[in-house]
Amino acid sequence: MPPEEMLHQQRQMATVRAYWESMQKKPLAMVVTYGCQQNENDSERLRGMLYEMGYGFTEDKEKADLILFNTCAVREGAELRVLGNVGALKHLKARRPGVIIGICGCMMQQEHMVRQIKSKYKHVSVVFGTHTLYQFPDILFRALVQNLRVFDVTDSEGEIAEDIPVYREGDVKAWVSVMYGCNNFCTYCIVPYVRGRERSRRPEKILEELRELASRGVKEITLLGQNVNSYGRDADFSMDFADLLREVNRVDGIRRIRFMTSHPKDMTDRLIDAMAECEKVTRQLHLPVQAGSSRILKEMNRRYTKEQYLALVDKVRAKLGNISMTSDIIVGFPGETEEDFLETLDVLEKVRFDSVYSFLYSKRSGTPAAQMPDSATEEEKHARFDRLLEVQNRISREINEEYGGKTYELLVEGQSKTDPGMLTGRTSGGKIVNFPDNGQIKPGDFVNVKITKVSTWSLAGETVSGQIGNG
Ligand code: 5AD
Ligand code: SF4
């Protein structure tokens, strides 16, 4: 990104800030995020820029001067929810015309959506896509100060815009993007079209950000990318994800390293070895399988078979021990038969994931799968989805039961959201554990907790001193 472009954005931030100061008003922004952690991370950047522009934050749309939806296009359901929520703000805009309503993110990288917003949602005055996020100060300036309706959805992916301010909630853990975009073109997926081709951040920029986070007391970081293990493949520097992990492992102060998402076809031996050797890399791997049938996997363009996936899991476990594994699964891909679906259940039984994120296939226009013939009815797909949940819930519970009576080291994250008065922390394997607050433990501490209560979704325990497990 040319420095003069970033300078321009910085000037626009100062102008917007001065605008609000001249009004003698502290403006409030409400940023609503849909979708994946990349989007959450983008929202942290949007908030960072807003903070520099003088904004505070609110969750109450009646108090907000700016309402911004950062959207997801992966499934139709999320898109419909955004459209519903934006539509419902029409009356608010009529009552308070000064409020700026904006939509950004992946949905806005689709032409048909932008056209729809332009013509049918006249109360929306700010629209921009994922590639122009860094131009937000200029976009907001034009909407707010010049009173324009701004649509900025250029398609060019360009270079990575570094040095955008970031506003992070909480100070124990943080997400850090290491790359953007995806080259895989799984046939069901819209991401490569809305996020563009893979672009890796320079390692020195990533490490700089990590050191800064560590200096502020952050203990756990999650390295983010649509496909982190192809890190560096697009770049002019010679470093792959395994090398990056080793570098990150050396950052003082960072105690735990997670990363997501990994594509099975890119899980190299080099990477598995790096995971084994880096003591800060957690005992957890998110490795989406998507489906169990090799025929469906081929139709999905996943570039591995069921047998190759299972062999990979065996290899990972042979080298890394019995680490927690999680996965994404799509039910009802076009042409999926009962036999195909049984293959998916078979993978669940064989791998025994700790948990899975399961999704009903959602047709995305512009993707190859949208043209594929389909035979199963909606009822059949829903019934398969329920069966999948039933199998997985049993497995998750069985796995959780094995935790009972054992002691684990937790990174304390704060007060429990589900259990008032209790603290909550996470094991290295990513399990959430609630435990009583003895008044001396604070977020960011590491404590040993013995598991005393187990359910399908959560664990509870008591602090102890002494020997710990490796979960
Ligand atoms: N329909 C349903 N699920 C999808 N995913 C991606 N595209 C679709 C789609 N069209 C799921 C995949 C991916 C996760 C982030 O979302 O499982 O791993
Ligand atoms: Fe979508 Fe496949 Fe890329 Fe993941 S790897 S973002 S599922 S195209």
Side-chain angles (χ1 to χ4, degrees), residues 36 73-76 187-191 226 261 286 288 290 302 327-331 357-364 367:
C36 65
V74 168
R75 281 170 291 274
E76 194 186 15
T187 55
Y188 49 82
C189 185
I190 196 83
V191 168
Q226 238 71 47
T261 297
H286 182 60
Q290 310 295 2
R302 290 292 290 178
S327 201
D328 292 348
I329 290 183
I330 296 178
V331 175
Y357 302 90
S358 45
F359 308 104
L360 269 174
Y361 168 73
S362 171
K363 193 184 210 166
R364 306 284 61 212
T367 62

Side-chain angles (χ1 to χ4, degrees), residues 437-454:
D437 187 354
N438 68 5
Q440 282 161 11
I441 301 166
K442 46 185 198 317
D445 286 351
F446 285 84
V447 293
N448 293 335
V449 167
K450 184 173 177 175
I451 308 300
T452 51
K453 210 171 119 212
V454 171

Side-chain angles (χ1 to χ4, degrees), residues 75-147:
R75 281 170 291 274
E76 194 186 15
E79 291 196 335
L80 294 177
R81 242 180 314 140
V82 169
L83 293 177
N85 289 342
V86 172
L89 292 178
K90 207 168 163 181
H91 301 295
L92 184 137
K93 178 77 178 176
R95 258 191 294 121
R96 296 171 52 213
V99 178
I100 291 184
I101 299 169
I103 317 181
C104 63
C106 293
M107 259 172 91
M108 296 300 107
Q109 287 298 141
Q110 306 174 95
E111 252 169 64
H112 69 277
M113 272 297 169
V114 175
R115 251 182 284 127
Q116 193 177 345
I117 299 294
K118 211 173 218 165
S119 62
K120 297 207 185 111
Y121 295 75
K122 294 260 162 53
H123 58 295
V124 173
S125 55
V126 164
V127 164
F128 56 102
T130 54
H131 302 318
T132 42
L133 182 112
Y134 72 95
Q135 291 174 17
F136 177 48
D138 189 52
I139 294 168
L140 185 58
F141 167 80
R142 285 186 277 155
L144 180 73
V145 183
Q146 301 180 326
N147 212 5

Side-chain angles (χ1 to χ4, degrees), residues 289 309 317 324-329 331 341 344-359 384-400 431 455-457:
V289 61
Y309 184 88
R317 287 193 167 143
S324 294
M325 293 199 61
T326 52
S327 201
D328 292 348
I329 290 183
V331 175
F341 175 66
T344 298
L345 293 187
D346 188 48
V347 169
L348 295 191
E349 297 287 2
K350 291 210 161 91
V351 176
R352 294 177 65 80
F353 296 110
D354 285 62
S355 61
V356 301
Y357 302 90
S358 45
F359 308 104
R384 282 179 199 162
F385 190 84
D386 291 343
R387 282 159 68 198
L388 181 121
L389 282 189
E390 213 174 291
V391 169
Q392 183 55 44
N393 287 351
R394 170 180 48 78
I395 295 171
S396 293
R397 176 157 190 120
E398 284 167 2
I399 291 177
N400 272 359
K431 295 271 183 214
S455 76
T456 309
W457 310 115

Side-chain angles (χ1 to χ4, degrees), residues 225-243:
Q226 238 71 47
N227 182 18
V228 282
N229 43 15
S230 62
Y231 177 80
R233 211 172 284 164
D234 63 296
D236 57 7
F237 51 82
S238 57
M239 203 176 189
D240 65 7
F241 191 62
D243 299 323

Side-chain angles (χ1 to χ4, degrees), residues 184 186 188 226-230 233 259 261-269 271-272 285-291 297 301-313 315-316 325-328 347 351 353:
N184 287 327
C186 302
Y188 49 82
Q226 238 71 47
N227 182 18
V228 282
N229 43 15
S230 62
R233 211 172 284 164
F259 56 87
T261 297
S262 302
H263 194 301
K265 76 174 167 51
D266 298 315
M267 275 311 287
T268 58
D269 287 351
L271 176 55
I272 301 172
L285 182 64
H286 182 60
L287 195 65
V289 61
Q290 310 295 2
L297 287 169
N301 191 31
R302 290 292 290 178
R303 287 174 272 181
Y304 52 83
T305 61
K306 176 188 179 190
E307 291 68 33
Q308 284 167 331
Y309 184 88
L310 292 175
L312 175 62
V313 170
K315 184 156 73 180
V316 165
M325 293 199 61
T326 52
S327 201
D328 292 348
V347 169
V351 176
F353 296 110

